[in-house]
């Protein structure tokens, strides 16, 4: 699922104080911090570019993504069809551009829902402690043990309608454990801080301490966890669509790759119907991974170093490779 | 020993949860479970398999009893490894289909995942040890970029470039069509050749994660006093890297092995499908698309058990490597 799992996120907090302060800074503050780091800057640029493309998709797509044209099937990329055409003569460029909308939206919403569940459960469990904590911890570990992709495949096999919201709910339900583990561990380090104890002493109810005191102080960590689940959800969703188990009437990257696979275009030497949506997917994930790596470096100064790198390395990988 | 006992209890619990999810899934969907399943079937399928309705009824407890009664019957059946009849391979029992396909998957994911772990942690270790040098500035970003692509994209790319264009690897199936599976040399060499590209893809997909993980932990470890002490004693650089820093840094990645292996099993499903590799992942997809729920359920259970066994092995390894666990 997450091939790149920057588990550095759940290492013992090296500089918790700093990360809390990062969370308190106004929005431009954290953005500035992320933009100063070369990795997260590259990542943010990539993601922003993808989001931008998704927003202006109707303006730049040359044809309706599912329009077919028997006279123009299986065309290699050309000026007329930038990314070539599919077996049905649909324009791959339009499919990729319009598909970005659904793929990104679904990934982001599923990630947000999973984050919400994980934050509520993980932080509450850590704060309350005792038997509730044991139960949440146990559930988290169980969900991490049962392989998520096969579970999702079987679950979506039972679904009768595979609309967008259904897929979001199913994916979030399977992925929340990922984050809950991280957020619980981080909440544990916060629960005995003075401000939490003070809130407790003044008689604040549990839900107010969790949502009003702990969560705002962990906002940077929650955001990082969201980025992680965002790209995992993106991968999982396109994976399910690739298997023919998503909403196959929609236009998305996974669906385009699915049809490329079903029509065995790869075996016939047609690389464009699967290559372009795959590249878009991979690039987006890479961007999100870089953002995460940048967040790690910002909050863990030990990971940052000034490198002496050769000129070639700078040219090939840019500053992102640092 | 108490630690071990706790882990074992947890694994038993995890298997129970997996079984319960399997039991509940068809019942959570709106409507009666049987009609829900039958709705997916075409009249032709129903006509071709006269026993199919009974099979589903047996699978779901027939709908004549209470849910609890069904549940007990279900657990009883599973505890005797009776997963029912595979409807898409009617009348072959599910256990036979799984038994035929599982060895291929275990071979593929076992070899590939261990290799990716060894390569990934090795590269991560060297990259952290020699910060900013060749490994750190070329191999690490390259592996990271490759691993950012999902396994199914990498498999398609490998299939197209390495299999089809370059012609270095066979692109389909687990062995040549004219070879009969068995313990003969021709079969083993054929199977090995067909496994190369899938294994390569899984390594490419997962090595990056290990690199990132190991590098981060290793960087933190290098700052520890005992590493400086080992240097001060005049030990060779390589020895300090592997025996002092590396050995301690490998524990957190090893602990992350559980989640990563579960995710690699997911990647395996895609890789098998793309290479038409006759393992459980390939079978799972055709089972779900063909509405063969007994088979799909059994595969989910079997995969969960495989992940748990891998976890157990890792626990033992952890026990050997981490003295803190032995003393507590």
């Amino acid at each position: 699922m997450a091939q790149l799992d920057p588990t550095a996120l759940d290492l013992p907090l090296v500089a918790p104080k700093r990360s809390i302060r990062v969370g308190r800074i106004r929005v431009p503050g954290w953005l500035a911090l992320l933009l100063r780091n070369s990795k997260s800057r590259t990542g943010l640029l990539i993601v922003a570019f993808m989001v931008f493309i998704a927003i202006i998709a109707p303006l730049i797509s040359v044809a309706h993504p599912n329009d077919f044209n028997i006279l123009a099937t299986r065309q290699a990329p050309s000026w007329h069809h930038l990314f070539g055409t599919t077996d049905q003569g649909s324009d791959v460029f339009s499919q990729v551009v319009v598909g970005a909308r659904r793929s990104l939206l679904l990934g982001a919403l599923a990630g947000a829902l999973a984050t919400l569940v994980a934050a509520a459960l993980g932080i509450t469990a850590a704060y309350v402690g005792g038997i509730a904590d044991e139960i949440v911890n146990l559930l988290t570990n169980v969900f991490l043990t049962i392989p998520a992709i096969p579970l999702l495949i079987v679950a979506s096999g039972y679904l009768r309608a595979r609309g967008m919201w259904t897929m979001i709910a199913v994916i979030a339900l399977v992925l929340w454990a990922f984050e809950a583990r991280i957020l619980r561990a981080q909440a544990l380090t916060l629960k005995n801080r003075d401000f939490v104890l003070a809130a407790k002493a003044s008689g604040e109810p549990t839900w107010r301490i969790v949502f009003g005191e702990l969560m705002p102080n962990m906002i940077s960590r929650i955001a990082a966890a969201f980025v992680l689940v965002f790209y995992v959800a993106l991968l999982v969703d396109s994976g399910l669509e690739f298997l023919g188990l998503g909403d196959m009437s929609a236009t998305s990257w996974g669906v385009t790759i699915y049809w490329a696979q079903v029509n065995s275009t790869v075996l016939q030497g047609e690389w464009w119907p699967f290559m372009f949506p795959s590249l878009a997917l991979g690039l987006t994930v890479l961007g999100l991974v870089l953002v995460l790596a940048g967040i790690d470096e910002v909050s863990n100064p030990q990971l940052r170093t000034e490198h002496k790198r050769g000129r070639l390395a700078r040219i090939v990988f840019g500053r992102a490779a640092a | 020993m108490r630690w071990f006992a706790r882990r074992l209890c947890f694994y038993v619990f995890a298997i129970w949860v997996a079984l319960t999810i399997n039991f509940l899934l068809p019942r959570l969907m709106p409507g009666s479970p049987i009609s829900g399943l039958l709705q997916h079937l075409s009249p032709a399928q129903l006509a071709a398999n006269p026993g199919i309705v009974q099979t589903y009824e047996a699978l779901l407890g027939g709908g004549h009893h209470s849910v609890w009664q069904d549940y007990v019957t279900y657990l009883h059946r599973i505890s005797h490894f009776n997963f029912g009849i595979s409807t898409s391979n009617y009348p072959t029992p599910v256990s036979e289909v799984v038994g035929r396909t599982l060895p291929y998957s275990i071979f593929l994911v076992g070899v590939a995942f261990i290799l990716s772990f060894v390569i990934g942690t090795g590269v991560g270790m060297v990259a952290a040890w020699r910060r900013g040098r060749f490994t750190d500035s070329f191999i690490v970003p390259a592996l990271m970029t490759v691993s950012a692509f999902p396994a199914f994209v990498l498999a398609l790319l490998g299939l197209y470039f390495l299999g089809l264009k370059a012609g270095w690897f066979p692109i389909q199936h687990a062995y040549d069509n004219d070879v009969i599976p068995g313990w003969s040399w021709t079969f083993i060499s054929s199977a090995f050749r067909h496994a190369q590209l899938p294994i390569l893809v899984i390594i490419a997909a997962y090595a990056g994660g290990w690199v990132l993980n190991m590098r981060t932990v290793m960087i933190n470890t290098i700052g520890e006093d005992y590493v400086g002490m080992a240097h001060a004693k005049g030990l060779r650089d390589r020895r300090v890297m592997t025996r002092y820093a590396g050995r301690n840094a490998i524990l957190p990645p090893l602990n992350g092995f559980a989640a990563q292996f579960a995710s690699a099993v997911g990647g395996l499903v895609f890789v098998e499908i793309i290479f038409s590799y006759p393992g459980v992942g390939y079978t799972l997809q055709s089972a779900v698309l063909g509405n063969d729920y007994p088979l799909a359920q059994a595969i989910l259970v079997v995969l969960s058990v495989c992940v748990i066994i891998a976890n157990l092995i890792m626990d033992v390894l952890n026990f050997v490597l981490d003295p803190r666990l032995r003393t507590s």
Side-chain angles (χ1 to χ4, degrees):
Chain A
M1 181 172 39
Q3 285 154 205
L4 289 178
D5 182 14
T7 28
L9 278 176
D10 65 350
L11 283 175
L13 292 180
V14 178
K17 213 171 177 180
R18 188 187 176 111
S19 67
I20 293 164
R21 199 146 40 103
V22 172
R24 278 276 159 98
I25 295 174
R26 285 172 298 112
V27 175
W30 62 258
L31 197 60
L33 214 60
L34 284 184
L35 285 177
R36 219 175 296 151
N37 180 286
S38 61
K39 275 185 193 172
S40 49
R41 184 174 53 232
T42 317
L44 279 176
L45 277 178
I46 294 174
V47 176
F49 173 73
M50 286 296 172
V51 172
F52 177 70
I53 293 288
I55 290 171
I56 62 161
L59 301 176
I60 54 174
S61 67
V62 283
H64 188 276
N66 293 331
D67 271 352
F68 53 87
N69 178 0
I70 310 292
L71 298 175
T73 59
R74 302 173 172 208
Q75 290 190 354
S78 63
W79 278 118
H80 195 64
H81 293 288
L82 217 50
F83 289 180
T85 61
T86 66
D87 274 45
Q88 315 295 322
S90 308
D91 183 49
V92 177
F93 177 76
S94 308
Q95 287 195 348
V96 170
V97 169
V98 175
R101 299 190 132 193
R102 192 193 144 86
S103 290
L104 292 177
L105 192 65
L106 207 152
L109 287 178
L113 187 59
T115 310
L116 204 70
V117 175
L121 276 180
I123 299 175
T124 312
Y127 173 70
V128 175
I131 191 87
D133 188 33
E134 290 281 327
I135 290 173
V136 170
N137 195 20
L138 189 68
L139 265 183
T140 316
N141 285 329
V142 167
F143 267 88
L144 288 174
T145 308
I146 300 174
I149 294 278
L151 178 59
L152 277 166
I153 291 175
V154 173
S156 49
Y158 283 116
L159 293 177
R160 279 178 223 178
R162 302 194 187 109
M164 182 152 171
W165 292 106
T166 321
M167 294 316 288
I168 289 174
V170 170
I171 291 174
L173 267 181
V174 174
L175 294 186
W176 68 271
F178 245 109
E179 280 177 285
R181 186 188 53 151
I182 302 172
L183 292 177
R184 175 180 164 273
Q186 285 156 358
L188 279 177
T189 65
L190 275 184
K191 67 181 262 195
N192 288 325
R193 291 295 183 80
D194 287 343
F195 68 93
V196 180
L197 296 177
K200 201 194 230 169
S202 66
E204 296 268 17
T206 304
W207 66 269
R208 258 214 56 107
I209 296 177
V210 169
F211 289 95
E213 301 288 340
L214 284 169
M215 249 188 224
N217 279 290
M218 289 177 63
I219 201 76
S220 61
R221 294 283 155 182
I222 295 175
F226 165 72
V227 176
L228 172 66
V229 175
F230 181 8
Y231 82 72
V232 175
L234 198 63
L235 285 178
V236 166
D237 175 56
S238 357
L240 283 178
E241 282 166 353
F242 169 75
L243 296 179
L245 290 167
D247 180 359
M248 304 317 290
S249 59
T251 305
S252 75
W253 293 336
V255 174
T256 306
I257 306 174
Y258 167 77
W259 286 113
Q261 162 81 358
V262 164
N263 296 327
S264 54
T265 51
V266 183
L267 294 176
Q268 292 164 18
E270 294 165 30
W271 51 271
W272 51 94
F274 81 87
M275 189 78 84
F276 290 111
S278 304
L279 280 180
L281 183 64
L283 204 61
T284 314
V285 172
L286 183 65
L288 290 167
V289 170
L290 284 173
V291 171
L292 263 188
I295 294 178
D296 261 359
E297 285 192 352
V298 169
S299 55
N300 183 355
Q302 260 191 303
L303 293 176
R304 272 177 282 164
T305 38
E306 295 306 317
H307 289 241
K308 265 212 249 155
R309 259 181 302 128
R311 225 163 126 204
L312 188 64
R314 264 202 306 276
I315 294 165
V316 176
F317 296 110
R319 290 183 51 93
Chain B
M1 273 302 102
R2 260 201 69 192
W3 178 75
F4 253 129
R6 279 192 60 174
R7 298 300 291 171
L8 276 178
C9 283
F10 168 72
Y11 292 138
V12 171
F13 180 75
I15 291 179
W16 174 74
V17 172
L19 288 174
T20 307
I21 289 178
N22 250 340
F23 175 79
L24 286 178
L25 268 178
R27 289 172 175 76
L28 285 177
M29 305 300 160
S32 113
I34 294 226
S35 67
L37 288 182
L38 295 182
Q39 178 200 309
H40 281 295
L41 300 173
S42 65
Q45 265 177 307
L46 284 172
N49 300 330
I52 205 163
V53 179
Q54 281 87 333
T55 306
Y56 279 140
E57 278 188 349
L59 173 75
L60 297 166
H64 309 305
H65 311 285
S66 72
V67 174
W68 291 109
Q69 231 169 329
D70 288 350
Y71 185 54
V72 173
T73 328
Y74 165 80
L75 284 184
H76 183 77
R77 252 185 342 103
I78 302 292
S79 64
H80 292 80
F81 297 104
N82 175 8
F83 290 99
I85 307 285
S86 162
T87 54
S88 60
N89 299 286
Y90 196 80
T92 319
V94 165
S95 45
E96 207 180 304
V97 180
V98 174
R100 200 170 58 215
T101 51
L102 191 62
Y104 289 107
S105 296
I106 290 182
F107 166 65
L108 208 62
V109 79
V111 172
F113 200 62
I114 289 171
L115 278 179
S116 82
F117 180 78
V118 171
I119 295 172
T121 46
V123 169
M125 184 170 76
V126 174
W129 197 249
R130 308 209 170 92
R131 291 285 290 279
R133 303 276 285 280
F134 177 77
T135 314
D136 201 23
S137 18
F138 284 98
I139 300 182
V140 170
L143 278 176
M144 236 180 92
T145 311
V146 169
S147 292
F149 288 86
F152 67 91
V153 170
L154 287 179
L156 282 171
L157 293 176
L159 179 70
Y160 181 75
F161 285 111
L162 302 180
L164 208 66
K165 284 284 150 184
W168 292 343
F169 303 102
I171 52 174
Q172 270 178 327
H173 307 307
Y175 46 85
D176 290 323
N177 287 334
D178 51 353
V179 176
I180 301 144
W183 288 110
S184 65
W185 172 245
T186 39
F187 171 69
I188 292 173
S189 67
S190 173
F192 186 70
R193 218 154 24 80
H194 280 260
Q196 282 168 347
L197 191 51
I199 286 177
L200 201 66
V201 166
I202 299 178
I203 292 176
Y206 288 93
W210 294 121
V211 170
L212 210 64
N213 204 331
M214 182 67 178
R215 181 176 171 274
T216 310
V217 182
M218 185 82 174
I219 286 171
N220 287 321
T221 312
I222 286 173
E224 298 281 347
D225 289 341
Y226 56 78
V227 176
M229 176 67 192
H231 275 303
K233 277 198 289 189
L235 292 176
R236 284 212 329 273
D237 193 55
R238 181 180 296 252
R239 194 181 163 82
V240 181
M241 176 175 83
T242 52
R243 296 293 175 82
Y244 287 76
R247 182 175 167 166
N248 284 289
I250 206 156
L251 290 173
L254 212 56
N255 279 321
F257 195 90
Q260 278 294 312
F261 188 74
S263 114
V265 166
L268 172 80
V269 174
F270 295 111
V271 171
E272 281 184 4
I273 290 164
I274 287 166
F275 291 107
S276 309
Y277 198 87
V280 281
Y282 182 67
T283 315
L284 178 64
Q285 188 213 19
S286 45
V288 169
L289 290 180
N291 300 304
D292 186 351
Y293 293 104
L295 184 55
Q297 286 199 336
I299 290 178
L300 181 57
V301 172
V302 165
L303 286 178
S304 307
V305 171
C306 285
V307 171
I308 284 170
I309 290 172
N311 271 293
L312 254 176
I313 297 172
M314 276 302 123
D315 281 344
V316 174
L317 211 63
N318 226 336
F319 200 69
V320 173
L321 283 174
D322 192 346
R324 283 170 301 184
L325 287 176
R326 264 171 287 163
T327 51
S328 68

